[in-house]
Amino acid sequence: VGSQQLPPGAVVTPAVVVDSDVLDANLRAMADSAARRGLLLRPHVKTHKSAEIARRQLALGAVGISVATVGEAEAFAAAGVADIFIAYPVWADRDRAGRLRDLAARIRLSVGVDSVAAVRHLAAELRGGAAAPALVPVHVLVEVDCGLRRSGAAPAEAGTVAAAAAAEGLQVDGVFTFPGHSYTPGGLEAAAADEAAALAAGAASLAGQGLPCMVRSGGSTPSAAWSAGPADGGPVTELRPGVYCFNDAQQLALGSCTADQVALTVLGTVVSVPAPDRFVLDSGAKVIGPERPPWAPGHGLLPAFRGATVTGLWEHHAVVRTSGDGALPEVGDEVTVIPNHVCTVVNLVDYLNVARDGKLVDRWPVDARGRNT
Amino acid sequence: VGSQQLPPGAVVTPAVVVDSDVLDANLRAMADSAARRGLLLRPHVKTHKSAEIARRQLALGAVGISVATVGEAEAFAAAGVADIFIAYPVWADRDRAGRLRDLAARIRLSVGVDSVAAVRHLAAELRGGAAAPALVPVHVLVEVDCGLRRSGAAPAEAGTVAAAAAAEGLQVDGVFTFPGHSYTPGGLEAAAADEAAALAAGAASLAGQGLPCMVRSGGSTPSAAWSAGPADGGPVTELRPGVYCFNDAQQLALGSCTADQVALTVLGTVVSVPAPDRFVLDSGAKVIGPERPPWAPGHGLLPAFRGATVTGLWEHHAVVRTSGDGALPEVGDEVTVIPNHVCTVVNLVDYLNVARDGKLVDRWPVDARGRNT
């Protein structure tokens, strides 16, 4: 956990700190793991929202990136990324349709769809209302639900959606799914099996409509190690993990990383020690994020205080209750917190402080912060 | 709930919409309520972070504003606010000390303290290391804990902290507390009583040191109606509520507002209707915020669907499960969500869409978004 190495006063707290050596090791490990299994890697950049990190992922062999919104796609296209998949059931209203057309004219653009209605709307809006084939080559992938019960068509319905897209002149690349029900301890392998089954069934449904299914895209950070690709005789062709670049307390609890693979932490200052069993950090919810999965021990972990967690969280106060018999920090001390969900943290700040070998070496802008539309 | 009145397509979703008539009514109601009771109003602007709304609060008689960070103080001072209280136990490190000095030279600046150590550090840093009295007139208020068990000295210790501040040449104005344990249903009146007791005890502790206590500041949105000030023979002189300008699902659950007093909502688009008992909005956690108090029915309320809540929330997906026997929206429909905690929502976006009489009339920047340091 690299930011613990920064000398006091190196950054103004609360501050988000990335250890670039740990980051690079994480990026390389996932790239190697995917390559070993014959899987393409298309990292989800909603986690880091940073052009600098996307460039590192591409330099390590990623075929492109995944984003969640048109606005994120615009930010990364502006940074030079040439192959972007909006892994989301995009509703192409007039504003977004024009922006999608502009993007597709400049980069290889793919978008997610999960209904015939969305496909027809997308095609009509891309044509700008004219009854002619879409002029810009927008690729589509049909989202299938593998058990999360969020968005996504039933796998057996994927062919119907894909056939509608093909009839509208859109280029159908394949199917994708998000095995997000892997986000429970012990659920990783089962979710990966669900992912494989849904992608295979989706591909079969496309075949039933006479359509090829070149891309079968899955993979979340916790389940990625179990995704079955070409080398394992499985149906998955591509992985879209996001969190693996930084990791967080949630991944630690899931067992999908170790403490020395946590690349991003939040540095806070002790602003109050009001009682022998309690201290207060300035790294509140507006920087460490308010998310707390039901099975998380607290609002974030404190590696310097064995077993300690953030037990109370307000916008600018992180309260740590201790057993009362250990050493308390003093007012003014700096304390590192491993946040529960790193994607939320990054979206709260304008830049990441970059540490290496115990020194503050750079600041990377969060280029796509707040790009929700 | 005003944003339901906007015609479809008026804003690109997900979008934060403020009904300016409801906002103005909320601002006036709190101003009137405080004035009736002889209480000064110093609204906490961490909720809206917007110069435009602070100006409206001041025009309605607020004596100044409360903020949580030095960065927020800087943003509002730049917008012309002349009296700012940083209602937080400020740790004045070198960066912040210089910024506090700059602020105090331009506006009437007060800061919170809750320990002798923080007072001595503040004074030393304000002097810039020189062994001379602080040159800039920084006012301090001692934070006392009235039961939340967050930061704040025990009320009986307030005098010790205040005496240290006076000895350092800081101007001691009084004491403040945050009755945040009012944030449970049924706890409002009891928390206000705790607030009164702690402020009175804090004032007595200052008197024991021969110090006056002109300001006894309390008040959260849910407890404000019970705060006992001059007209009621109570010790409170000033209120610092924040959320009341907008209200949210949490305030509805606490009973501190009604549905027609909700001034801020999040407009989303239905991007997927994957099953007869479920639909998905694009207003995910990165705009409606991930906070969910244990007693909240879900991640946000849907006024157009009686009794419906956001039952599943991801960064860009808000999933609404329905009973399966009611009308479902169609893909592309716009749906309004009342978020659980509005302070978190505002901090996620760069501007507020302003609606009035069913029309989009303005955009207000969130001037202090992300000002955590």
Side-chain angles (χ1 to χ4, degrees):
Chain A
V1 183
S3 68
Q4 291 180 267
Q5 313 302 324
L6 281 182
V11 290
V12 182
T13 67
V16 174
V17 183
V18 171
D19 185 304
S20 71
D21 285 337
V22 179
L23 167 71
D24 285 339
N26 291 345
L27 298 185
R28 182 170 296 282
M30 183 64 81
D32 289 350
S33 166
R36 234 180 359 250
R37 293 178 283 156
L39 288 161
L40 301 177
L41 187 61
R42 184 183 288 277
H44 208 308
V45 300
K46 72 181 171 64
T47 302
H48 57 68
K49 290 178 171 278
S50 307
E52 173 63 34
I53 299 177
R55 281 192 283 268
R56 290 173 187 226
Q57 290 171 319
L58 293 165
L60 286 166
V63 293
I65 63 170
S66 304
V67 300
T69 68
V70 178
E72 285 183 346
E74 289 168 333
F76 284 92
V81 179
D83 184 337
I84 301 181
F85 171 39
I86 306 176
Y88 191 80
V90 171
W91 181 254
D93 52 19
R94 271 169 292 231
D95 176 273
R96 266 179 282 248
R99 293 157 63 200
L100 288 170
R101 272 198 302 269
D102 290 348
L103 279 168
R106 294 159 52 207
I107 63 166
R108 186 185 194 285
L109 180 70
S110 319
V111 305
V113 290
D114 79 349
S115 68
V116 171
V119 160
R120 291 192 178 146
H121 184 70
L122 172 65
E125 291 290 337
L126 286 175
R127 283 192 298 262
L135 293 174
V136 289
V138 172
H139 301 252
V140 301
L141 286 90
V142 180
E143 184 179 11
V144 295
D145 178 15
C146 68
L148 180 59
R149 304 292 177 257
R150 194 173 70 175
S151 52
E157 303 298 321
T160 307
V161 179
E168 294 283 355
L170 297 163
Q171 295 189 230
V172 179
D173 281 1
V175 294
F176 76 107
T177 195
F178 174 60
H181 54 313
S182 64
Y183 275 76
T184 59
L188 314 186
E189 195 167 356
D194 292 343
E195 167 191 81
L199 291 175
S205 179
L206 264 63
Q209 299 282 344
L211 292 167
C213 186
M214 301 301 291
V215 179
R216 298 178 294 276
S217 176
S220 64
T221 292
S223 63
W226 281 273
S227 290
D232 301 301
V236 187
T237 65
E238 177 184 281
L239 296 179
R240 304 186 320 280
V243 175
Y244 76 97
C245 58
F246 295 140
N247 292 310
D248 54 25
Q250 185 165 233
Q251 299 301 326
L252 280 170
L254 292 168
S256 52
C257 73
T258 58
D260 57 4
Q261 292 171 322
V262 174
L264 182 149
T265 52
V266 178
L267 194 65
T269 294
V270 178
V271 293
S272 178
V273 188
D277 65 347
R278 185 167 94 239
F279 61 90
V280 185
L281 301 171
D282 62 1
S283 48
K286 277 181 174 165
V287 62
I288 72 169
E291 285 182 67
R292 181 176 176 178
W295 37 270
H299 292 281
L301 303 174
L302 285 79
F305 296 84
R306 183 173 292 276
T309 69
V310 175
T311 50
L313 188 66
W314 289 263
E315 288 159 65
H316 298 279
H317 300 74
V319 174
V320 182
R321 281 185 187 273
T322 65
S323 58
D325 53 7
L328 279 174
E330 293 185 3
V331 181
D333 284 358
E334 293 182 355
V335 174
T336 289
V337 174
I338 301 175
N340 277 345
H341 185 196
V342 74
C343 305
T344 304
V345 175
V346 170
N347 190 47
L348 290 166
V349 296
D350 293 318
Y351 60 87
L352 308 171
N353 296 283
V354 184
R356 194 167 182 219
D357 289 337
K359 291 200 192 78
L360 186 71
V361 295
D362 208 347
R363 274 184 170 191
W364 294 337
V366 182
D367 303 280
R369 196 209 62 74
R371 296 291 194 103
N372 288 322
T373 58
Chain B
V1 182
S3 68
Q4 292 180 265
Q5 313 302 325
L6 281 182
V11 290
V12 182
T13 68
V16 174
V17 183
V18 171
D19 185 303
S20 71
D21 285 336
V22 179
L23 166 71
D24 285 339
N26 291 345
L27 298 185
R28 183 169 296 279
M30 184 63 81
D32 289 350
S33 166
R36 233 177 1 249
R37 292 179 284 156
L39 288 161
L40 301 177
L41 187 61
R42 185 183 287 278
H44 208 309
V45 300
K46 71 182 173 61
T47 301
H48 58 69
K49 289 177 172 275
S50 307
E52 173 63 33
I53 299 177
R55 281 192 283 267
R56 291 175 185 226
Q57 291 171 319
L58 292 165
L60 286 166
V63 293
I65 62 170
S66 304
V67 301
T69 68
V70 178
E72 286 183 344
E74 290 168 332
F76 284 91
V81 179
D83 183 338
I84 302 180
F85 170 39
I86 307 176
Y88 191 81
V90 171
W91 182 254
D93 52 20
R94 271 168 291 230
D95 175 273
R96 265 179 283 247
R99 293 158 61 202
L100 289 170
R101 272 198 301 269
D102 291 346
L103 278 168
R106 294 159 51 208
I107 63 166
R108 188 188 193 283
L109 180 70
S110 319
V111 306
V113 290
D114 80 348
S115 67
V116 171
V119 161
R120 292 193 176 144
H121 184 69
L122 171 65
E125 292 289 339
L126 286 175
R127 284 192 298 262
L135 293 175
V136 288
V138 172
H139 300 252
V140 301
L141 286 90
V142 179
E143 184 179 13
V144 294
D145 178 16
C146 67
L148 180 59
R149 305 292 177 256
R150 193 172 72 174
S151 51
E157 302 297 322
T160 308
V161 179
E168 294 282 356
L170 297 163
Q171 297 190 228
V172 179
D173 281 1
V175 294
F176 76 107
T177 194
F178 175 60
H181 53 314
S182 65
Y183 275 77
T184 59
L188 313 187
E189 197 168 354
D194 292 344
E195 168 191 79
L199 291 176
S205 179
L206 264 63
Q209 299 282 342
L211 291 168
C213 186
M214 302 301 291
V215 180
R216 299 177 293 276
S217 176
S220 64
T221 291
S223 64
W226 281 273
S227 290
D232 302 301
V236 186
T237 64
E238 175 184 283
L239 297 178
R240 304 188 319 280
V243 175
Y244 77 96
C245 59
F246 296 140
N247 292 311
D248 54 25
Q250 186 164 231
Q251 299 301 327
L252 280 170
L254 292 169
S256 53
C257 73
T258 58
D260 57 6
Q261 292 172 321
V262 173
L264 182 149
T265 51
V266 178
L267 194 65
T269 294
V270 177
V271 294
S272 178
V273 188
D277 65 347
R278 186 167 92 238
F279 61 92
V280 184
L281 300 171
D282 61 1
S283 47
K286 277 181 174 166
V287 64
I288 71 169
E291 284 181 67
R292 181 177 176 177
W295 38 270
H299 292 281
L301 303 174
L302 285 78
F305 297 84
R306 184 173 290 277
T309 69
V310 175
T311 49
L313 189 65
W314 289 262
E315 288 159 64
H316 298 279
H317 300 75
V319 174
V320 182
R321 282 186 187 272
T322 66
S323 59
D325 52 8
L328 280 175
E330 292 186 2
V331 180
D333 285 357
E334 293 181 356
V335 174
T336 289
V337 175
I338 301 175
N340 278 346
H341 186 197
V342 73
C343 305
T344 305
V345 174
V346 170
N347 191 46
L348 290 166
V349 296
D350 293 319
Y351 61 87
L352 308 172
N353 298 283
V354 184
R356 195 169 181 215
D357 290 336
K359 292 201 190 77
L360 187 71
V361 294
D362 209 346
R363 275 184 172 192
W364 294 338
V366 182
D367 303 280
R369 197 211 61 74
R371 296 290 194 102
N372 288 322
T373 58

